[in-house]
Amino acid sequence: MIYDPNPVAFWLLAAMVAGCALAVVRARKLFHAGLALVGTLFAVAGLYGLLQAWFLAAVQVLVYAGAIAIMLLFAIMLTHNMMNPDLKSLTTQPWTAAALCLMLLAILLGGTLSSTWQTAPDTTLSPTWTPKCGFQVAEAIPSVQALGFRLLDPFTLPFEMVSVLILVSLIGALVVARRNPALPEAPEGREEKAP
Amino acid sequence: MSAIGLNHFLALGAVLFCLGTYGVLTRRNAIAVLLSLELMFNAVNLNLVAFARFMPNLDGVVLAVFVIAVAAAEATVGVALVLSIYRNFRHIDLDQVDTMKG
Amino acid sequence: MTNALTMLQALAPEVVVAATAFLVMGLDLRRNPSPRAQATVAIWGLLAGALATIPDWLDTAASNSALTLWGGIFLADPLSVVFRALACVTGALVLLFSIDPVDAERRNPGDFVTLVPFVVLGLMLSVSTGELLTFFVAFEIVSLPLYLMAAWNRNERASAEAGMKYFVTGSVSSAVMLYGISLVFGTMGTTFFSQIATRYEALADPPQAFVLGSLMILAALGFKIAAAPFHIWAPDVYQGAPRPSAMFISTAPKAAMVAVMLRLFWGSLALQGRDFRLAETWMVLLAVMAILSMFWGNLVALAQTDIRRLMACSGIAHIGYTLLGVLAASRAGAELEGAAAAIYYVVVYSFANLAAWGVIVLVGWRTGSDRIEDYSGLARRSPFLAFALLISLLSLAGAPPLAGFLGKFYLFRALWEAQPAWWWMVLIGIVNSVISLYYYFGILKPVYFGAPQDEASALAVPWRFRAGLMVCLAVLMVLGLFPELTRMTLEAGAAILAQQGTP
């Protein structure tokens, strides 16, 4: 069984991912960068579809593009005057950073592209744990059902931990983001100028 | 056009990760840094799902689900901190948020 | 053999701590919440959690094997028992030292008290997991509340700034770690440590991407423990964060990360694989990180006038010493002594650091200052606080009758025995200890010989501080005055680690 993704779809989506990501890090206006992020997230969801991870594509659109990106857009609107055009200096030291990132890219590509990957389910390993539900670890196409069993069978503990993680970040975020009625607030009009 | 293999997806993931790193290094606006961080997390997910499909091993998708959940929590915390910075400094330019010197 | 009962026994400390955390959260929702009562409940709950590790300890020591749940997602072995108990005690001490100032200054004490047991839960899970993703999620439970605790003083610029800096560096390191995890998963087809080890053993030549991935994980861990060259965030965060949060940030995650480094790079790969080509790469990197951390931390500490920045620099230096132990542990034939020395060192560091921070929190709360010159004449204002500072700083410096001295001694000895050719690293460690004496005495001199700035004001020490400091000092002095006890602990630790099979 050979999996062969459609090259046209791949290159289109890849171009969209790279283009939108470039816009996220280079756009002159912060709001445009936020919208470009939504575009990147949708394109990545498309790639998940191409990789036949349908459930993850849906999660990506719902949670990432739907919730996380919108929350970031809200944060932009809360902290910025949309009419304020003064965002020319959104980016600093582009050339040093670009050189560093190209180096990182070379390392990552060099390290990954020449490697041998685990491209077949490993039969030499004697698994120390066989899921009780009888599902094989390697499914040709990851079905939602198999995914659900996998989440609940060996990955029970991290699954529970994620709920704790979200709870603690909510408690803490509420404290830090809320105004403190007990203490005086910094005056509204105070504008800090660069030294 | 040759057939698309695992390496194509991995290269795209590496490019996305480096773009995210570039954004974190160069952006001076706190929210722009958050946006770039999301790019880095997406690069990881792209890698994981590609491995999951080509191996094939469902665990990659399971890992990606967890990464999305963690990224959501991380974004919440990031936005809360941005609001806190904004209330104290009335702007969110990180290169001016540097008052401590040793 | 996993039935419900063994599962419950293995997870008992986590269950106790989680129940405590939810109970404390529930107490915060009452109409008239009392943060001090919540803190009392949380402290007793955390101590109960520490006691609940005893059955795991007895069990693993008796059967010479780790209790394994879900194929390695949860491990109860001696390493995890030590660090789970340490996390609980650390959390209880942090609560003892922080509840008075946080409550008095009305800085959301209820939420602060609620978050501490959750962070401890994250620490416990991160030291007792044998799977990369679970470790990552557990460590996020530690990191995210700590980012927010650094920004806890909402109306202070420095605090908001500290929170943001900590968040950005921490999140980048999380992303780097995840990328490393994805590469390890791609080359090994699994994220379970034990299976990675098996798989690694079977390979003739580790794939490049695997080396790259593990190096990325190592770098991310370096960020989390503030080892040079990944340490830049630490001084600003410690200085800007509220003192109780800085105390927590400087203690708890470091100890847990050292445990995880031992588990990852010694437990499952270097030792199991018996293939030291990869281990050589790590050893070079670990050595570089250790030496840079020691020199940077100690030399920069000399120039500090703010005691919190000084403690940040000293913390970086101490991570350097601890990495020497991890380095010795990755050398064949010396794993056990190295690991035992590193564990002992980081436990002693935790208590000494907590005691020093306890004094800093109290003095900072009472006087509002962290400048070292404002510690002048502390001995006359409060002899007890001055004594606590004396013992903890001398222990950090490694002065002879205290636990810190034995810690350094065993560490250097383990390194020497691991590889006599590394004598120059031992020498660097000793030279650095001497440098550190200079700035620790720089604090102690004004404390004992300086004149108090306003003669009349005696510093009252609340009972919570007194109790917490007494515990820390007792640990430092008892371990130091009875070297036999220390040696026995180390030997027992090494023996138990040795008996253990595949993690």
Side-chain angles (χ1 to χ4, degrees):
Chain A
M1 184 207 62
I2 290 163
Y3 165 64
D4 186 23
N6 183 347
V8 181
F10 174 80
W11 287 114
L12 276 179
L13 288 168
M16 189 171 161
V17 167
C20 288
L22 197 63
V24 171
V25 295
R26 287 296 300 171
R28 283 288 170 92
K29 287 214 164 87
L30 188 55
F31 197 70
H32 293 171
L35 290 181
L37 179 72
V38 177
T40 318
L41 297 176
F42 269 109
V44 171
L47 285 170
Y48 294 163
L50 196 62
L51 288 163
Q52 297 169 332
W54 310 112
F55 175 70
L56 209 62
V59 169
Q60 172 88 2
V61 172
L62 286 174
V63 177
Y64 240 122
I68 300 182
I70 298 303
M71 182 170 66
L72 291 171
L73 289 180
F74 263 113
I76 295 175
M77 291 189 268
L78 276 173
T79 51
H80 281 268
N81 183 356
M82 279 297 130
M83 300 295 113
N84 184 0
D86 181 32
L87 280 173
K88 269 176 294 187
S89 54
L90 193 58
T91 306
T92 53
Q93 305 162 338
W95 294 113
T96 342
L100 274 174
C101 291
L102 283 178
M103 258 168 60
L104 177 67
L105 184 65
I107 293 172
L108 289 184
L109 289 181
T112 52
L113 296 190
S114 59
S115 276
T116 46
W117 302 100
Q118 191 72 26
T119 46
D122 197 346
T123 46
T124 59
L125 287 178
S126 54
T128 51
W129 175 260
T130 20
K132 289 195 197 85
C133 52
F135 267 95
Q136 290 301 307
V137 174
E139 288 266 328
I141 295 175
S143 74
V144 180
Q145 192 187 25
L147 189 69
F149 275 112
R150 194 73 186 146
L151 272 180
L152 286 181
D153 209 338
F155 290 102
T156 328
L157 193 65
F159 187 70
E160 296 296 329
M161 278 151 56
V162 163
S163 58
V164 171
L165 176 67
I166 291 174
L167 176 70
V168 288
S169 40
L170 278 182
I171 297 177
L174 275 177
V175 171
V176 169
R178 207 171 43 187
R179 280 158 202 270
N180 190 347
L183 291 170
E185 181 89 0
E188 188 68 26
R190 192 166 73 188
E191 191 75 31
E192 200 57 28
K193 292 277 176 268
Chain B
M1 221 180 270
S2 61
I4 302 297
L6 177 57
N7 279 345
H8 290 79
F9 286 94
L10 295 183
L12 185 60
V15 168
L16 197 53
F17 191 79
C18 292
L19 279 172
T21 317
Y22 175 79
V24 171
L25 289 177
T26 56
R27 289 300 208 184
R28 42 185 284 190
N29 181 291
I31 294 183
V33 172
L34 285 186
L35 300 180
S36 310
L37 276 171
E38 297 301 333
L39 290 184
M40 295 173 88
F41 284 112
N42 265 276
V44 171
N45 268 358
L46 196 56
N47 266 9
L48 286 172
V49 178
F51 286 134
R53 185 63 196 81
F54 282 89
M55 214 174 286
N57 183 339
L58 187 54
D59 279 5
V61 180
V62 176
L63 262 57
V65 171
F66 282 113
V67 172
I68 289 183
V70 170
E74 195 120 356
T76 317
V77 169
V79 169
L81 289 169
V82 166
L83 291 181
S84 161
I85 286 276
Y86 181 69
R87 267 208 327 272
N88 283 293
F89 290 81
R90 289 287 150 203
H91 65 74
I92 51 173
D93 285 348
L94 291 184
D95 54 353
Q96 290 171 43
V97 180
D98 195 11
T99 56
M100 285 176 278
K101 288 278 171 286
Chain C
M1 213 202 77
T2 329
N3 56 35
L5 206 63
T6 47
M7 200 180 219
L8 192 65
Q9 185 207 317
L11 280 168
E14 279 77 12
V15 172
V16 171
V17 172
T20 309
F22 282 106
L23 179 65
V24 171
M25 189 175 80
L27 290 176
D28 196 32
L29 299 177
R30 289 182 311 166
R31 186 164 300 163
N32 292 312
S34 157
R36 282 167 207 253
Q38 277 171 274
T40 312
V41 172
I43 288 165
W44 286 113
L46 288 174
L47 292 179
L51 289 180
T53 56
I54 292 176
D56 278 358
W57 172 260
L58 296 176
D59 225 48
T60 47
S63 66
N64 300 342
S65 66
L67 272 171
T68 309
L69 300 181
W70 297 290
I73 282 192
F74 187 87
L75 298 169
D77 57 2
L79 189 66
S80 87
V81 168
V82 172
F83 282 94
R84 281 192 287 171
L86 180 67
C88 288
V89 175
T90 307
L93 285 170
V94 166
L95 277 174
L96 270 178
F97 292 143
S98 56
I99 182 61
D100 285 327
V102 174
D103 191 28
E105 296 175 357
R106 295 167 71 196
R107 301 202 188 274
N108 296 81
D111 300 296
F112 192 92
V113 173
T114 307
L115 286 185
V116 172
F118 278 118
V119 173
V120 171
L121 182 64
L123 286 170
M124 294 167 79
L125 289 165
S126 64
V127 296
S128 49
T129 180
E131 201 263 338
L132 281 171
L133 177 85
T134 316
F135 161 68
F136 177 74
V137 176
F139 200 68
E140 287 296 299
I141 299 182
V142 178
S143 304
L144 293 185
L146 286 182
Y147 303 149
L148 293 163
M149 282 165 141
W152 204 254
N153 288 4
R154 300 181 293 196
N155 297 56
E156 255 176 42
R157 289 183 154 207
S159 176
E161 178 184 336
M164 197 69 207
K165 281 184 173 163
Y166 193 25
F167 171 78
V168 172
T169 49
S171 298
V172 170
S173 74
S174 292
V176 170
M177 185 187 290
L178 276 177
Y179 202 91
I181 291 177
S182 82
L183 292 183
V184 169
F185 173 71
T187 40
M188 295 294 163
T190 174
T191 49
F192 290 78
F193 295 174
S194 55
Q195 295 188 4
I196 294 174
T198 325
R199 178 80 210 144
Y200 178 68
E201 208 163 7
L203 286 174
D205 202 23
Q208 264 188 336
F210 178 70
V211 180
L212 187 62
S214 21
L215 293 185
M216 288 175 95
I217 296 176
L218 179 63
L221 289 174
F223 254 114
K224 308 273 186 201
I225 59 177
F230 309 109
H231 62 278
I232 329 112
W233 56 272
D236 281 354
V237 170
Y238 288 18
Q239 189 193 355
R243 294 177 196 91
S245 314
M247 165 168 60
F248 208 10
I249 292 168
S250 74
T251 324
K254 285 192 181 176
M257 283 308 95
V258 170
V260 171
M261 275 195 173
L262 285 172
R263 196 190 282 294
L264 249 181
F265 293 107
W266 161 74
S268 60
L269 295 171
L271 185 69
Q272 296 300 322
R274 290 282 169 203
D275 173 348
F276 287 99
R277 267 165 304 165
L278 190 50
E280 295 287 350
T281 322
W282 285 330
M283 283 197 257
V284 172
L285 275 166
L286 275 174
V288 169
M289 274 163 75
I291 292 170
L292 278 180
S293 303
M294 286 189 293
F295 272 119
W296 194 92
N298 283 323
L299 293 178
V300 176
L302 290 174
Q304 299 305 319
T305 54
D306 182 297
I307 195 163
R308 291 202 264 171
R309 287 188 89 87
L310 187 141
M311 288 306 287
C313 297
S314 119
I316 293 166
H318 282 281
I319 278 300
Y321 301 123
T322 317
L323 288 182
L324 289 181
V326 180
L327 184 64
S330 25
R331 183 83 201 170
E335 305 94 350
L336 303 171
E337 287 76 12
I343 294 171
Y344 181 77
Y345 193 82
V346 81
V347 170
V348 170
Y349 165 77
S350 298
F351 281 101
N353 197 47
L354 278 171
W357 272 99
V359 177
I360 295 172
V361 169
L362 182 58
V363 173
W365 172 38
R366 295 286 199 226
T367 65
S369 165
D370 292 306
R371 286 179 310 163
I372 293 170
E373 64 203 58
D374 288 337
Y375 280 69
S376 178
L378 184 68
R380 263 185 270 171
R381 300 176 70 186
S382 167
F384 177 69
L385 281 186
F387 180 68
L389 203 58
L390 175 76
I391 296 295
S392 56
L393 292 185
L394 285 183
S395 180
L396 285 175
L402 296 165
F405 168 73
L406 290 175
K408 280 209 174 78
F409 174 73
Y410 286 116
L411 207 58
F412 294 150
R413 199 185 63 174
L415 191 65
W416 174 269
E417 280 174 2
Q419 175 65 287
W422 288 344
W423 60 269
W424 54 275
M425 259 191 271
V426 178
L427 192 67
I428 287 179
I430 294 172
V431 167
N432 270 287
S433 309
V434 174
I435 299 177
S436 73
L437 273 175
Y438 186 78
Y439 62 83
Y440 287 126
F441 275 112
I443 303 177
L444 291 173
K445 201 177 127 206
V447 164
Y448 274 95
F449 303 112
Q453 292 190 327
D454 43 354
E455 197 68 47
S457 66
L459 270 177
V461 184
W463 68 267
R464 287 192 177 85
F465 281 90
R466 200 170 283 273
L469 287 173
M470 298 264 221
V471 171
C472 295
L473 298 187
V475 170
L476 295 179
M477 289 197 285
V478 168
L479 285 180
L481 291 175
F482 300 97
E484 282 303 298
L485 192 65
T486 302
R487 200 175 52 77
M488 272 163 50
T489 325
L490 279 174
E491 277 172 6
I496 290 170
L497 287 170
Q499 285 165 355
Q500 206 182 305
T502 319

